[in-house]
Amino acid sequence: MKYYLSNGIIEIEVNSRGAELTSLRKVTSPYEYLWQGNPEYWNRHAPVLFPNVGKVWQDTAHLDGAPLTLHQHGFARDCEFQLVAEGDRYLAFRLTSDDQTRSLFPRDFELTIGYRLLRNVLTVEWSVLNTGQQMMPFQIGAHPGFNYPHYKADADIHGYFDFDAEGPLTSLAVSGGFATGKSFEVELEDGCRLPLGNNTFDCDTIIEATGRVHRIAMLDAEARPYITVLHQMPITALWSPAGGRAPFVCIEPWHGRCDDTGFAGEFDRRPGVQHVQPGWTWDESYQIIVE
């Protein structure tokens, strides 16, 4: 089911399936900022990745010494959430563990995803409550896709990223969706700006995992501000389908990432795993500023 929220400046649409943001617009304009899920490129909009981020080696993780099957980016994005709060400027949805989720991930939890509007800012809020009796390890991440403004497939430059860290950036190298143990440098113009063209993501994904980047401003081809993402997470991933001339790009703040090639350790040793004690709540948020 779809839910709508507006504060008179910006408006959003959220699908209860995955509690996924599916639209982001200014009230005064029909222009859509969020990728609309054309399956020719990528059939999602802005999924929340939980309880794992990225691929799990051979789709098999180990928890409490037992194997469990986990697919890329977890299962929450495909689950039906319940609306638990609705106000003039706020929506919140909750996924509560049940027999089906326990068959995939043997922990009891409540995952709440909230959307809050203030002027031209959308704040996305995450809350993970451990309702079980055991320590709960998990990863969580955002995966919003943003349309390139005035996209032209044959243009040399579709836009720019402007970062709050001077370059070059260091990215983990991935192959087949797994970290190889190597890294590469991402050169920036004018110290902090990355041009976005059809070959920018031939590397697959840029994964900045040093914790240096917390503001990513997306600019149009004329270097005018478009969208800004603010977060305090340790990993920033940037992705667009390679070779497909896709008319969108994703800005992804993460707690956690894919496995290293050949990783066969316990789930709680995956990179960036968070832990929440029984009865405790873990909270995080990030912001999308519509320029």
Side-chain angles (χ1 to χ4, degrees):
M1 184 171 179
K2 294 182 178 180
Y3 295 84
Y4 302 88
L5 191 66
S6 173
N7 65 354
I9 298 173
I10 58 176
E11 57 187 11
I12 64 171
E13 176 188 276
V14 182
N15 193 331
S16 58
R17 181 177 174 84
E20 183 177 3
L21 182 69
T22 55
S23 178
L24 173 60
R25 297 178 298 192
K26 290 181 179 178
V27 170
T28 57
S29 170
Y31 184 79
E32 177 62 64
Y33 286 81
L34 203 69
W35 172 245
Q36 289 301 287
N38 181 347
E40 180 181 352
Y41 301 99
W42 183 54
N43 65 351
R44 299 184 187 264
H45 309 268
V48 178
L49 318 179
F50 178 90
N52 56 286
V53 174
K55 285 188 174 182
V56 177
W57 183 251
Q58 296 182 336
D59 290 336
T60 303
H62 296 82
L63 188 58
D64 306 326
L68 60 150
T69 300
L70 283 174
H71 299 297
Q72 183 178 24
H73 293 328
F75 54 76
R77 60 183 182 166
D78 295 317
C79 291
E80 185 68 23
F81 283 63
Q82 298 300 312
L83 180 71
V84 293
E86 185 174 15
D88 291 342
R89 305 290 185 270
Y90 183 68
L91 290 171
F93 302 83
R94 181 169 296 152
L95 175 65
T96 301
S97 57
D98 56 20
D99 289 344
Q100 181 178 0
T101 67
R102 290 185 204 101
S103 70
L104 300 171
F105 188 70
R107 289 293 187 271
D108 287 312
F109 64 86
E110 290 180 355
L111 169 62
T112 304
I113 300 173
Y115 296 93
R116 190 180 303 274
L117 304 183
L118 178 62
R119 296 187 291 274
N120 64 325
V121 180
L122 167 63
T123 300
V124 183
E125 303 171 348
W126 301 330
S127 177
V128 180
L129 170 63
N130 183 348
T131 59
Q133 302 300 313
Q134 299 169 279
M135 183 72 76
M136 179 177 168
F138 66 93
Q139 297 174 317
I140 191 168
H143 200 322
F146 300 105
N147 292 315
Y148 283 124
H150 315 299
Y151 175 77
K152 297 179 181 178
D154 295 325
D156 293 330
I157 299 296
H158 302 310
Y160 299 86
F161 282 145
D162 188 89
F163 302 99
D164 61 344
E166 293 188 355
L169 301 181
T170 300
S171 172
L172 300 177
V174 295
S175 177
F178 299 99
T180 65
K182 300 178 180 180
S183 63
F184 62 92
E185 290 191 343
V186 180
E187 297 295 336
L188 304 182
E189 293 183 353
D190 302 322
C192 59
R193 187 168 293 180
L194 175 65
L196 301 172
N198 288 330
N199 301 116
T200 302
F201 295 98
D202 287 349
C203 60
D204 189 321
T205 307
I206 296 172
I207 302 177
E208 203 294 314
T210 68
R212 293 177 57 216
V213 172
H214 299 291
R215 179 189 62 82
I216 309 96
M218 185 176 175
L219 315 178
D220 68 14
E222 303 300 323
R224 293 171 297 204
Y226 177 66
I227 282 282
T228 299
V229 174
L230 300 176
H231 71 89
Q232 293 298 320
M233 301 183 215
I235 298 174
T236 300
L238 308 168
W239 174 80
S240 186
R245 295 178 173 239
F248 73 97
V249 65
C250 294
I251 303 173
E252 308 174 46
W254 289 350
H255 280 286
R257 62 164 175 84
C258 61
D259 279 345
D260 294 332
T261 301
F263 177 77
E266 284 283 302
F267 182 90
D268 63 3
R269 295 187 177 275
R270 297 189 84 221
V273 163
Q274 304 297 298
H275 297 83
V276 59
Q277 298 180 31
W280 287 41
T281 299
W282 179 96
D283 297 304
E284 182 61 279
S285 65
Y286 73 97
Q287 295 179 314
I288 301 173
I289 303 172
V290 179
E291 305 288 1

